Each structure stands twice: as structure tokens, then as C-alpha cells.
Amino acid sequence: MTDSLEAPALVQRGRLGTPVATSKLRVPAVPARAVRRTRLLALLDDLAAYPVVAVAAPAGAGKSTLAADWVRHRAGPTAWVCLDDADRDPAQLGASLVAALDRLVPGVGDRATALVADPDGPQEALRALADDLDLAEPSGGVLVVDDLHRIDDSPAAEAFAAFVEHRPAWLHLLLLGRRRPPLAVDRLRASGALADLSFDALRFSDAEAVAMLAGLCPEVPADALSAIATWSGGWAAALQLAALSVRSGRGTLPAQDRLVDSYVWHEVLRTERPELVGLLVSTAVVDRMSFGLAEALTGRPDAGDLLLEAEERGLFVTSLDAGGWFEVHGLVREMLLAELARRWPERLREQHARAARWHEDSGDGLAALEHWLAAERPEEALRLLAALAVPLGDAGRGTVVDRVLARVPPEVAVADPELLAWCRMPVDRAGFSDALHLLGDSPGSTRAAVLHAAAADLRGDWRECLRRTRAALGDAPGRVDPVTGHGWRLLARAVALQEAWTESEAVLAEARAAVSADGGRRLAHETARAVGLALAGQPVDAVRVAGGVRTAVETAGLAALSLELDLAEAVAARELGDREAAERSLEALTGHAHHPHTWVSFLAGLELAEARLDVGDLPGAVGRLREATEVAERELPGADARARAARTGVLVALASDDLPAAETWVRRCDDPFWGPVSQARVHLRAGRRDEAAEAVQRAEPRCVRHQVVRDLVLARATVDTDRPVALKAVDGAVDLAAGSGLLQTVAAEGPVVVELVELAAWRAPEAWLGRLRRALAPEPVVARPAALVDDLTERERDVLRLLPSRLTLREIAGELYVSQNTLKFHLRVIYRKLGVNSRAEAVEAARALQLLRR
């Protein structure tokens, strides 16, 4: 036995009779500038515990260099044999293996020699060789068999498989080849006898590739080396040939290097079956493929079998983990694609069209878009983009729409203004308007009618949007496609923004049924439902619905729907008394004033303005109203958006004691409910109670919240003139508010109404009443006084100490054994001495002056 890496001369001839070239038994030299691949050497060390390790990778993957480095790296006796075409003869294969193994166990081949010479005995000879090796029992050894693919589909393959099956326990086999070895691989792998490595394991990492290139091309800048490393895809041969190209002055990044191209065609594909080469060429238009896609691209029902064969034969085809998909090495695919473009450009376009049809049928619209454009079929790309534009907008990927449209010739785009408008609608307000102008005012088709409804929605004319969608969907009963699906979505949102959402509404039930079969449209409907419930005064239900779809929306990456859910939850939180969470979320939403969801930022700004009023921050409310109004003037000029801003404007003007401004806002509030209610508020501030009662009775409520507000404003208008009417109105409001969880809507109507609510306390659940009392004691924003105007009396201090509690004025009077009128007198004096105007401000000022200490 010898540890030398060179085979003795006597092995070559004489002992066996069949000559074996010395070069076949010599370990290849490792190039001087080769990168030492430490991670793979360690991997081969680990895999040495397996009796057989098979490395199957394409030509030029670095198999032999890695094995040679490992042989020199390890300690212990090693033999090497590199097979050639002569070894397809079983007798020659036997002679080659005997010659190699003789250096591990000298003389081991004597008994096999006669059997090798027998034409019928090569397989038996290799079994005998394995038995003799087993009896020799040396301390261990490694046999490397290189270029094993040379004996594929030959009689020698069966003989070699027999040798592997009967290998001695002490012998470790390292098999190198371009294809899956001719063994019972699955059985050997399952029994723990074989481990295998594929091309993926041998790919150079970016760091290894750059290190190798730096040694070969030291004069090339580091950024250029990194680009070449990426281009090579970790293929050793490509790195070597690219370095050669650079050194010969052909450039620093061979995007289509002829040396590599020639290597692919002459070294990798030249000897392969035409069916396999045809498969690779036909599928080069896609970066990965399944059996079905391969069949569509080749027109062959056996394309899946060819894919598996290509992988087994080391043709740069790699099986991916995800559901039966395969990929071809990127560089090789580029070479094949370039060849297809040079020789058969019309076929290249047809292959892209086939890929587009398959991807579209499979639901991968983005991939289909790219293939339609590559197939030079822009009209098909525009058609498909129109169907994808809304989902892309929901996912916050409007740039995809812009990028595709930029590649569609203008004459193709303007030839179909309906499709163009549909593409522009969710991503480009100006482009949508221009396309709609080309379309004209006539609704025409269902698509055109829905587009006009969308235009109304985007400008803030939600009643007009609702009218148009009803008409459009009425012309297409029972049909659900991207056009009518979006129509149902517009209808649901229009109902929500009109504050008219009621679960019993027939048209909403119809909308929900229409979109139930489509996951994305169903999520959009449920999101609109959450917004509608929040605005309609059903905050508990709104939170429940939003929570039910939040995970699905975020998992699907629907950023636009996520914003709408944020709005619904923020409005509900404010109504339920969670001011801090509501304002934090509303503040974030005001930063999203961009098309097509400007309305989210707009409503968030108005909610913030009213929230500032809740805590007495008038300057903050004025600022928020101004910002929201500017958004409306710029992006939402429609009547309903103007009316929504006017309704908040009335509240801000009344808080400023500016009746003329409030009257101006009322005239802008063209809403059948909020217009009369806002007019009634102004009348109340002016002391015109009869006019207020008459105005509020003209209001047309559309939801629970409207009914509560109407009843509370009516109570304020009649409390001094017709107390039974006021108490009856409050009773009805309390029943509805407590049943729906409304708190802030009730609290915002002021102390007069709240005192009336206390009279109806027996009708309300105690938990709701307790939350309402807490909602009446916000943390106000007031200027803290430096000192008292006058000192407080002892009785006034007693009153002041009870103000932070949740007690009503009547309960405080009872605690102090005074009448309510006496208590109110003390409060007026306390407010004057503290320089405040309300109970909440008095508590804040007392805390600032440390008057609440015991």
C-alpha cells in the first residue's frame, strides 16, 4: 500500500494485460490561482462518513478541482481514476478500476485478471475485486472515480453498479460526473449508503467568485469583478472564461461572451439528445418552470419527463423545493435566449406569447404582463393591466402600472380609452381624468359607467357615485368580473362614506354576495363595511369587523385596505372614548394624502379637528380644519366632501363664538341630515330655540348615529320650552346610544344634554353610563394660570376637590348637602377665580396650582 498520488508504472501494463494510460490514474493538479473552497472541503470531510458520495454537476462546475484539493487536504491513502469513452467496455472499465485500486492494496487484482479477460466475466470480475478488497481489510482508503458520466447507457454501467453494491466497508467512493450516477441512487440514499451533491452546492459564492477573479484579473476594479461574479451565477467555467475574455481585451463585463457561448454549445450541449436541447431552448423565455409550463412552451406532453432527464444529465436544470418547479442556470438561459433571438426571432415572440397565456391562466398576471410585452403584443398587455390595476393599487404597487404603460405605444393606449382609464384610475389622477375625457360623458358600456362612478368617488361626490354604480350594476345583473366587481366595491364605499351603512340594507347584502367568491374583493367589501359601521355609529361592530379581516389584509400586502381599516379603528376608538389611541392613529393617517385614497387623510383630518374640540384645543382644531379644507379644495371638490368639511367647520366656528362664520359653513353643508342639524346648532347658539327645533325635525337620518344626534339636538332645543318632548327625545337617544356603544357622540352635545341623560340613567346599562361620565372629563389643552385671581373659600375648595370625580353636579350637591343652584353659584365663582370656563379646565388648573392636595 502506498500514499503516493502517482500510480506506479507496473500498474499500467503487465500485471493485468489490458493497458491503462497513466494519465487516467493521476490526480489533477489544482491551479495555482485557484480559490481554496474551505466550506466545500469541510462538507466533503463531513460526508466521508457515507460509503458513497456522488457529485453530479455540469461541465465546468469545478468538480475535479474540488476533489483534487480535498484529496491533498485529507490524510490517508487515495486512488484516482478518470474514465473515458474506452471505459464503456466493461473489460476496460474493470482494468481501470483494478489499476487504480492496486495502489491501495497491491496485488489485489490478480484474481480478477482472468475474469476481466473473459468476455462474459467483467461484472463477475468486479464482484471478485470487491470481495478481495474486503478480505484485505486495510486501515481505510478513498477511490475517486472522475467523469463517471462517460459510461452512461453502456454495458459498463451495470458492472460498475455491481461493484458499488459489493464495495468493501473500508473503501470510501467519491464519484464525479455531469449526470446522476448509473446506480440505484434512491435506494442507496434511503439506506444511508449514499450522499449526493448537485450544482447548487458547487456554485461559487459571490465572495469566492470575486476572490477567484481578483487572482485571475488583478488589474480589474473591484466593482467590475463583482458584476462579473453576479453574471456568472457561480459557474466556475464562466468565471474562467470571463477572466480570459477580460485579459484578452474584450471588456470587463461579458454580457454575451462568445467564449462562454461556445463552451455551452460545444462542451455542454453538443452530445445531448435533440429533444433535451429543444426543451432548454423552448423554455429559455422563463426563469423557472413547472411541468405544465414546460408542456405549454414545448407543446410536448412528455416535457416533464424531459425536465427530469435534463436535471439528471447535469444540464444546468435544478429542481426547486416549491411544488415541482425547476430553474435553468441564469447564464446558460441567457445564452440560449440570445441564440433564439439571433436565429428564430419570430419563434422567440411566440414563446413569450405562450408563456403569457399560461401565466395568465394560472393567475400570475405580473409575469404574464412581462411576457405579453416581450412578445410585442401591447394590446394584450393593456387588456391584462386593466384587470390588474386596482389590485396593484391596493397593494401599493402603482409603479408597476406606470412602468407597463410606459412600454405600451401611445397609439395603442389611446385607441381604447376605456382600458387606458381603467389602468390610470387607481394610480394617476391626472392621467385618469385625461383618459376619461377621451371616453366622453356618455356612460355607454358597463365599464364606462363604472369608470364615471369611480370619477365621482375620487372627487368626493359619493351620492353621485352611488347613483351611477346602481345604474351600472343594474345593467349587468348576476355578472361578476373585474368591472362589476369594482362597481360593487364603489357602491359599498359610497354607502359607507354617506354614513348610511345598515346591515339590513338589501343592496349591501347583494354586494356582499356578489364578491363572496373572490378573496380580494371580499376583503375590500369587509373593509368598506368596517368604515361604514364606524361612521354610522356602530363602533363595537366596526372594531370586530376590522379585526376579523386585518390579518388577511396584511398577509395579502393590501396597503390601501390597511389604511382604510386604520381609519375605521381610529374613528371607532374615538367614539368609544380611547382618545389617545384614536388621535395617534388619525395623526398618522393625515400623512397619506395621496391618490386614490385622499379621502382617508381628509376624513382623518376632520376627525382630528373634532377631537381637538373635545379637549378644548381650539387653535389645534382650527389648524386641522384648515388642512382638511385645503385637501378638499385640491383633491376632493365634490359636494359630499365639501359638506363633510362644512359640518366640522360649523362646530369650530361655534366653539370660536363666530356666528357669521358658522352661518357661512351651514350654507356649504349640502347634506339632507347634517345640513339641518348644523343649522339647528347655530340657532341654539343664537338663542333661537324654536327655529332650532324646526330645523332639526327636517333632518333625514341615515344611520343610528344620525338618530342619536337628531334626538339630542332636539332635546337641547326643547328642554326649556317642552320638557316632556326633550325627555322623550333623550330616552330614545340613550336607548340607541347605549345599544350601539356611542359615547363621544353623546358627550359632544354638552352639559345640558348630559344632565338630561342623567335623568334617563335608569334606562342605560351602568357600564355604558360609567364610560360616558369618564368621557366627559377629558384632559384639556388650556393655558395654566400662574396664580389665583382671588383666594378660594373653604367651601369653594370642598367643591373643587369633588370636580375630578365622576360624580354628576346633582351628586356633588348631594355630597355637600347644598342645592344644585347653590352648587352652580359656587362653580361660577370658582371658574372666575381660576380663569377657566369649564369643569375640565378647572380640574386642570387646580392640578397645575396644586390646589387638590389634602
Side-chain angles (χ1 to χ4, degrees):
M1 187 184 302
T2 176
D3 289 342
S4 170
L5 296 179
E6 297 297 332
L10 59 90
V11 174
Q12 317 315 312
R13 184 182 296 275
R15 181 190 294 275
L16 300 177
T18 303
V20 178
T22 305
S23 59
K24 293 180 61 172
L25 306 178
R26 184 180 298 127
V27 178
V30 178
R33 294 183 179 180
V35 174
R36 192 168 182 82
R37 308 187 71 187
T38 308
R39 64 181 178 88
L40 292 181
L41 294 176
L43 178 59
L44 288 179
D45 283 341
D46 292 341
L47 295 180
Y50 288 85
V52 182
V53 172
V55 181
K63 303 179 293 295
S64 300
T65 300
L66 173 65
D69 198 13
W70 180 70
V71 165
R72 287 175 169 83
H73 155 79
R74 69 179 297 277
T78 304
W80 186 291
V81 61
C82 182
L83 305 184
D84 55 28
D85 288 342
D87 291 300
R88 296 175 67 81
D89 176 14
Q92 182 62 50
L93 174 66
S96 297
L97 292 176
V98 168
L101 289 166
D102 191 75
R103 49 186 300 271
L104 292 179
V105 183
V108 73
D110 291 344
R111 187 165 73 93
T113 302
L115 292 173
V116 168
D118 185 345
D120 299 323
Q123 186 168 330
E124 191 60 37
L126 290 180
R127 286 200 184 100
L129 176 62
D131 292 339
D132 290 347
L133 288 169
D134 201 19
L135 293 173
E137 295 186 354
S139 58
V142 173
L143 172 63
V144 181
V145 182
D146 197 4
D147 282 348
L148 186 60
H149 59 276
R150 298 281 193 173
I151 65 170
D152 281 357
D153 305 318
S154 73
E158 186 178 352
F160 183 75
F163 170 73
V164 172
E165 291 285 350
H166 294 84
R167 69 198 176 280
W170 57 267
L171 180 63
H172 176 71
L173 295 177
L174 178 58
L175 311 180
L176 312 177
R178 297 182 184 179
R179 303 186 259 283
R180 177 175 169 140
L183 306 172
V185 171
D186 294 328
R187 180 169 55 79
L188 291 170
R189 188 189 291 141
S191 66
L194 178 141
D196 50 344
L197 298 178
S198 65
F199 177 55
D200 268 357
L202 268 63
R203 287 180 195 256
F204 277 67
S205 67
D206 287 344
E208 290 172 338
V210 169
M212 177 177 173
L213 290 168
L216 296 171
C217 311
E219 71 285 356
V220 177
D223 56 344
L225 293 181
S226 180
I228 297 174
T230 301
W231 168 83
S232 71
W235 184 22
L239 290 168
Q240 291 278 2
L241 294 171
L244 177 61
S245 179
V246 170
R247 291 199 303 272
S248 65
R250 300 188 183 191
T252 57
L253 180 57
Q256 185 59 51
D257 189 84
R258 296 302 300 170
L259 294 178
V260 181
D261 186 46
S262 177
Y263 188 90
V264 169
W265 285 103
H266 295 98
E267 185 65 25
V268 178
L269 300 179
R270 179 175 57 85
T271 61
E272 298 297 337
R273 291 195 299 125
E275 294 89 345
L276 291 176
V277 177
L279 170 82
L280 295 176
V281 172
S282 295
T283 59
V285 294
V286 296
D287 55 5
R288 62 178 204 150
M289 74 200 92
S290 63
F291 288 172
L293 178 53
E295 289 176 6
L297 291 172
T298 62
R300 297 180 63 106
D302 63 344
D305 295 332
L306 291 176
L307 265 179
L308 292 173
E309 183 180 350
E311 182 183 26
E312 289 184 1
R313 296 184 67 80
L315 297 181
F316 294 97
V317 176
T318 302
S319 176
L320 303 177
D321 293 334
W325 285 81
F326 297 79
E327 69 176 4
V328 177
H329 186 280
L331 176 57
V332 174
R333 190 175 70 83
E334 288 178 11
M335 298 293 179
L336 297 170
L337 199 58
E339 187 72 7
L340 195 57
R342 279 196 302 268
R343 300 180 61 181
W344 307 289
E346 187 59 38
R347 181 184 171 191
L348 174 61
R349 290 189 289 271
E350 175 56 29
Q351 292 305 105
H352 277 299
R354 289 184 178 190
R357 293 187 196 97
W358 188 89
H359 281 296
E360 189 171 344
D361 291 343
S362 301
D364 189 352
L366 293 181
L369 278 175
E370 292 299 323
H371 285 293
W372 281 128
L373 291 170
E376 299 179 13
R377 306 273 282 275
E379 67 287 347
E380 294 289 351
L382 188 66
R383 171 193 58 76
L384 178 57
L385 183 63
L388 297 177
V390 171
L392 287 171
D394 285 342
R397 303 181 66 185
T399 54
V400 174
V401 179
D402 293 333
R403 188 173 70 248
V404 173
L405 284 176
R407 296 167 63 185
V408 174
E411 62 273 14
V412 174
V414 299
D416 194 333
E418 281 190 14
L419 287 180
L420 179 60
W422 201 266
C423 294
R424 290 293 189 190
M425 175 182 62
V427 296
D428 180 2
R429 185 185 188 90
F432 175 58
S433 297
D434 292 343
L436 209 60
H437 179 72
L438 291 174
L439 188 60
D441 293 332
S442 174
S445 66
T446 300
R447 185 192 299 274
V450 172
L451 285 170
H452 282 291
D457 169 67
L458 292 174
R459 66 174 178 265
D461 274 332
W462 298 312
R463 279 175 289 180
E464 177 67 7
C465 174
L466 185 59
R467 183 187 69 79
R468 285 182 176 271
T469 51
R470 282 179 180 270
L473 296 171
D475 292 337
R479 197 180 88 203
V480 180
D481 53 29
V483 174
T484 58
H486 192 65
W488 287 115
R489 177 177 179 174
L490 289 173
L491 182 146
R493 186 159 68 211
V495 172
L497 297 181
Q498 276 289 289
E499 300 178 358
W501 196 283
T502 56
E503 298 285 48
S504 60
E505 180 69 32
V507 71
L508 293 177
E510 186 179 358
R512 189 174 190 182
V515 302
S516 61
D518 183 279
R521 295 190 189 112
R522 186 171 65 252
L523 290 177
H525 178 86
E526 289 300 294
T527 299
R529 182 184 176 201
V531 173
L533 290 169
L535 296 178
Q538 300 179 65
V540 176
D541 289 339
V543 171
R544 173 180 54 80
V545 172
V549 297
R550 168 72 72 178
T551 300
V553 166
E554 293 181 350
T555 301
L558 302 176
L561 297 188
S562 184
L563 284 178
E564 295 177 31
L565 290 176
D566 289 345
L567 177 66
E569 290 173 337
V571 172
R574 176 172 172 257
E575 185 62 56
L576 293 170
D578 190 352
R579 292 188 181 89
E580 183 178 350
E583 292 198 30
R584 185 170 58 248
S585 184
L586 292 169
E587 184 74 41
L589 288 169
T590 58
H592 293 277
H594 51 74
H595 178 82
H597 294 284
T598 312
W599 62 270
V600 173
S601 173
F602 169 69
L603 290 184
L606 294 177
E607 288 284 336
L608 265 180
E610 294 180 17
R612 291 291 82 207
L613 288 181
D614 294 340
V615 296
D617 180 12
L618 184 56
V622 170
R624 289 300 182 183
L625 174 63
R626 182 176 61 252
E627 292 169 3
T629 303
E630 290 172 355
V631 170
E633 290 174 352
R634 186 177 63 252
E635 303 285 345
L636 295 166
D640 296 312
R642 288 199 311 269
R644 178 61 186 86
R647 154 181 147 198
T648 300
V650 170
L651 298 176
V652 172
L654 292 178
S656 306
D657 287 329
D658 189 344
L659 280 177
E663 289 283 5
T664 300
W665 282 114
V666 167
R667 287 192 290 273
R668 298 178 187 174
C669 192
D670 179 22
D671 183 281
F673 175 76
W674 290 108
V677 166
S678 297
Q679 182 68 71
R681 295 189 194 281
V682 174
H683 286 318
L684 285 171
R685 178 57 62 88
R688 301 187 293 266
R689 296 187 178 277
D690 290 342
E691 290 90 336
E694 181 183 351
V696 77
Q697 288 174 343
R698 293 199 305 271
E700 301 174 10
R702 300 186 292 273
C703 62
V704 171
R705 185 184 182 199
H706 290 182
Q707 296 175 48
V708 171
V709 170
R710 179 196 60 187
D711 289 346
L712 295 178
V713 173
L714 179 61
R716 289 176 57 194
T718 57
V719 65
D720 292 331
T721 58
D722 195 340
R723 196 167 181 83
V725 170
L727 292 175
K728 181 179 179 181
V730 168
D731 287 348
V734 166
D735 287 344
L736 288 173
S740 301
L742 290 171
L743 293 173
Q744 189 56 46
T745 294
V746 177
E749 291 303 322
V752 172
V753 164
V754 173
E755 288 186 14
L756 290 173
V757 169
E758 292 287 354
L759 295 177
W762 62 273
R763 305 179 64 92
E766 185 60 35
W768 176 83
L769 197 58
R771 290 197 301 272
L772 176 63
R773 289 166 178 162
R774 289 192 292 274
L776 291 169
E779 292 291 333
V781 178
V782 295
R784 295 183 175 184
L788 284 167
V789 176
D790 290 313
D791 288 337
L792 297 175
T793 67
E794 190 62 35
R795 172 56 81 180
E796 289 164 356
R797 288 178 181 272
D798 290 339
V799 173
L800 185 60
R801 277 192 287 270
L802 291 174
L803 291 185
S805 71
R806 299 172 187 169
L807 299 176
T808 66
L809 295 183
R810 182 175 60 186
E811 290 169 337
I812 292 175
E815 288 287 326
L816 298 175
Y817 300 101
V818 299
S819 69
Q820 287 192 54
N821 287 335
T822 301
L823 177 64
K824 290 178 180 179
F825 171 78
H826 286 310
L827 286 175
R828 284 195 295 271
V829 175
I830 292 171
Y831 292 172
R832 179 182 61 78
K833 290 181 177 182
L834 291 176
V836 300
N837 297 305
S838 70
R839 176 177 176 174
E841 292 178 2
V843 172
E844 178 70 12
R847 286 173 175 160
L849 295 171
Q850 300 184 351
L851 298 176
L852 296 179
R853 292 180 176 177
R854 289 189 177 278

